[in-house]
Amino acid sequence: MTSDVPRSGFQPPAHVRDSGPDGGEPASSPRVIRRKIVAPPLGGSVVPRPRVEGLLTGLMDQHRLVFIYASAGAGKTTVILQAAHRLERPLVWLDLDSTDAATGRLLTYLEAALALQVPEAAGVATSALAAHLPHAEVAGLLAESIDEAPVLIVLDNAERLVTEPEALEILASFARYLPPFARLVISSRMELPFRSSVGILPWVAAVGEEDLALTVEEASDALTASGRGDIDPVDAVVETGGWMTGVLFEAWQATDHVIGLGGEADPLHGYLA
């Protein structure tokens, strides 16, 4: 399934394209960690999951905001990248971390990520912050700067802000004023406690752990691709509940594994969290 919005011809703005004398950011541009605003590569050995890709692309086509709630190792980031490839929208990526609890920093990084695909976003947040506007209002202005650009915005690892109500209010304001052509995906290991109604608006959808869990057929394909074709996929799914990492790393071999449980209930999760 592909989006019915037009393909984008956006190019990065000048302040992003041109580097300074030392090969880094220009002196007038806020310094950001580039790895945070660039989508990770999708490995060539990743097994396609048409069922989940179709579910996610369908939700993205129909809903302005999609939450993905699932534990570490469930395949959230991979399926987002696969769905983004199918949708062919300009991709905006921000890998959140605990330092983004500072709302000014969060807005600066969100602007930098957007500016890679939407030139009009460059300087919107930073100038508004310099004018001492309320940060929630700055988030709304930044969202509106997207205008008709059909971007897909992904905020990954949002669980790192789960205890930060002010940062969550920035995300809520940004989502609330997002133009209808844009799409926002927020990926988190746990449900985010928004103080506003953004999580229950009619243009919001969610994907959960059960949606991402491997079927027997998907487990068989994944095990074969990883060189573990000798493992019975039925047993693997029964033992792990279809948890992607549990299937691939044979989590049920652990002495304290509980049959049928995966994700955060599995001892292997501690190595991923």
Side-chain angles (χ1 to χ4, degrees), residues 66-90:
V66 177
F67 290 102
I68 300 182
Y69 291 135
S71 58
K76 299 185 298 297
T77 300
T78 296
V79 76
I80 290 171
L81 290 169
Q82 290 172 320
H85 179 74
R86 290 179 63 168
L87 283 174
E88 298 183 327
R89 287 173 175 262

Side-chain angles (χ1 to χ4, degrees), residues 246-262:
V247 169
L248 294 179
F249 288 90
E250 302 178 61
W252 60 89
Q253 301 290 353
T255 56
D256 46 356
H257 172 76
V258 179
I259 293 177
L261 292 182

Side-chain angles (χ1 to χ4, degrees), residues 5 11 13 85-86 89 91 107 111 116 126 147 160 167-169 223 241 269 273:
V5 296
Q11 296 296 322
H85 179 74
R86 290 179 63 168
R89 287 173 175 262
L91 180 60
L107 287 163
E111 178 193 280
L116 291 173
T126 47
D147 199 18
R160 293 165 178 170
L168 292 178
E169 191 57 31
L223 288 166
H269 178 270

